[in-house]
Amino acid sequence: MANPWRGDVALEIDGQTHVMRLTLGALAELEASLEEPSLMALVERFETNKFTSQDVLDLLQAGLRGGKCDIEDDALYHGTIAGGPIAAARAAAELLARAFTVAGT
């Protein structure tokens, strides 16, 4: 079960729910893969709706790894996400928001 106070975000892929989380390690991995100078640049892209589908996939991938989900990258790229691309983008944005929000605020 996804715990928003811990930063969890649920995503259903091919009928199976996965609980994602952006841990420090997942954030570091994400930062290394970005074509931006910092994670805050990625946050800004989401805040201004200038993100790409690759941004969404990178975030979801990092969240799945941070949540210790046993899912292959290929399943994310070729699987059916409940709610489609819009739900995937919302989940990615929610991951970012929860990673940079202090619990209780």
Side-chain angles (χ1 to χ4, degrees):
M1 181 171 193
N3 179 348
W5 299 112
R6 194 172 52 198
D8 295 350
V9 175
L11 183 70
E12 185 181 314
I13 304 169
D14 291 332
Q16 184 176 0
T17 300
H18 302 275
V19 177
M20 305 179 294
R21 182 179 318 120
L22 287 178
T23 61
L24 185 57
L27 286 167
E29 180 181 302
L30 180 60
E31 191 173 44
S33 72
L34 291 177
E35 293 182 10
E36 288 285 353
S38 70
L39 283 174
M40 295 318 293
L42 180 63
V43 171
E44 187 175 305
R45 285 204 310 248
F46 269 82
E47 287 176 342
T48 59
N49 291 320
K50 294 180 181 173
F51 58 90
T52 67
S53 55
Q54 189 62 55
D55 292 336
V56 172
L57 286 169
D58 288 346
L59 267 164
L60 296 179
Q61 232 171 6
L64 288 164
R65 286 195 182 106
K68 297 183 181 179
C69 297
D70 187 24
I71 184 170
E72 298 291 323
D73 291 344
D74 190 57
L76 174 61
Y77 278 75
H78 301 289
T80 300
I81 295 175
I86 297 295
R90 282 187 186 137
E94 200 170 335
L95 273 170
L96 269 180
R98 289 187 182 170
F100 292 101
T101 301
V102 178
T105 60

